[in-house]
């Protein structure tokens, strides 16, 4: 399930503010998540979920997205997710994930506050890891809301005009790598 296949089959959808990571960034994310997680929640990150190669992780994880076309690809893993209503996340999924990956369609505080609610609903109480994607200007807000810090690896999102950063609440060798796509 390489990223190239996902990227070829799923054109970006501006109506949903979908802008995909580059193939290299998705490959890095998959490697990092597969090394750090047994059960992950992919919030608004279908490109990463559908590029996983670890079959156990795929079977144990869920992709939360507003775009219902992804339900057809893996109905067991798909959870319809409207970020405006984190309270609608099914109760049986509360506190069951050891890792949450988040890339909201908007970078403003009001949206991040709603995603923060979803993350806190989904993540296990102890030791849960987060990987979030937003701009560097949101550093103080990300620290305040989620106690996450910027990491060295910068994502490439070819069709966005500004540079994003990844933020995490844990340390790993993968997070210290540099993305060769970003000067």
């Amino acid at each position: 399930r390489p990223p190239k296949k996902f990227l070829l089959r799923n054109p970006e959808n501006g109506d949903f503010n979908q802008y995909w990571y580059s193939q290299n960034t998705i490959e890095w994310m998959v490697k990092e998540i597969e090394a750090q997680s047994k059960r992950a929640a992919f919030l608004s990150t279908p490109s990463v979920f559908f590029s996983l190669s670890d079959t156990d992780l795929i079977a144990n994880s869920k992709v939360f997205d507003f775009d219902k076309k992804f339900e057809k690809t893996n109905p067991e893993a798909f959870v319809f997710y409207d970020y405006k209503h984190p309270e609608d996340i099914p109760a049986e999924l509360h506190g069951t994930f050891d890792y949450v990956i988040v890339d909201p369609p908007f970078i403003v505080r009001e949206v991040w506050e709603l995603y923060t609610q979803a993350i806190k609903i989904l993540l296990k109480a102890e030791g849960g890891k987060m990987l979030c994607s937003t701009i560097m200007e949101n550093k103080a807000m990300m620290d305040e809301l989620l106690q996450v810090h910027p990491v060295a690896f910068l994502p490439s999102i070819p069709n966005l005009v500004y540079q994003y950063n990844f933020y995490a609440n844990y340390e790993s060798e993968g997070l210290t790598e540099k993305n060769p796509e970003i000067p």
Side-chain angles (χ1 to χ4, degrees):
R1 294 164 39 127
K4 188 173 188 178
K5 197 178 275 187
F6 177 89
L7 294 170
L8 289 172
R9 289 184 180 164
N10 296 283
E12 295 173 332
N13 182 341
D15 292 342
F16 289 152
N17 219 18
Q18 289 175 340
Y19 299 99
W20 305 134
Y21 298 110
S22 70
Q23 181 175 335
N24 182 66
T25 295
I26 294 170
E27 288 169 355
W28 175 88
M29 293 176 77
V30 165
K31 182 178 162 193
E32 179 66 19
I33 296 159
E34 289 182 347
Q36 299 292 330
S37 176
K38 299 283 183 243
R39 180 172 167 80
F42 293 79
L43 272 66
S44 307
T45 55
S47 64
V48 185
F49 175 81
F50 289 110
S51 298
L52 291 172
S53 58
D54 182 316
T55 53
D56 289 336
L57 185 57
I58 294 166
N60 291 320
S61 298
K62 300 284 183 191
V63 58
F64 294 78
D65 207 272
F66 191 80
D67 190 343
K68 291 184 177 180
K69 78 175 183 183
F70 297 118
E71 184 173 20
K72 295 178 186 98
T73 308
N74 188 332
E76 294 78 36
F78 181 84
V79 179
F80 177 75
Y81 174 65
D82 180 346
Y83 76 85
K84 296 173 188 158
H85 299 285
E87 71 278 4
D88 290 346
I89 292 171
E92 65 270 16
L93 299 176
H94 291 197
T96 63
F97 296 92
D98 63 7
Y99 200 103
V100 177
I101 306 92
V102 188
D103 184 25
F106 305 102
I107 56 176
V108 296
R109 181 178 188 92
E110 298 76 33
V111 172
W112 267 108
E113 287 173 347
L114 291 165
Y115 272 88
T116 296
Q117 289 177 41
I119 293 165
K120 290 180 177 181
I121 288 169
L122 293 166
L123 212 51
K124 288 181 175 179
E126 294 297 317
K129 296 178 180 178
M130 292 176 256
L131 184 65
C132 306
S133 180
T134 191
I135 57 173
M136 186 52 116
E137 289 80 358
N138 283 347
K139 181 180 179 192
M141 177 188 72
M142 296 301 289
D143 182 47
E144 174 195 340
L145 293 176
L146 292 164
Q147 296 74 57
V148 292
H149 58 276
V151 303
F153 191 94
L154 299 177
S156 171
I157 308 170
N159 292 320
L160 274 187
V161 294
Y162 33 83
Q163 180 61 52
Y164 270 47
N165 285 72
F166 281 130
Y167 291 78
N169 68 336
Y170 68 95
E171 302 295 328
S172 84
E173 192 175 315
L175 299 176
T176 65
E177 292 177 23
K178 301 279 191 218
N179 185 345
E181 296 176 295
I182 308 295

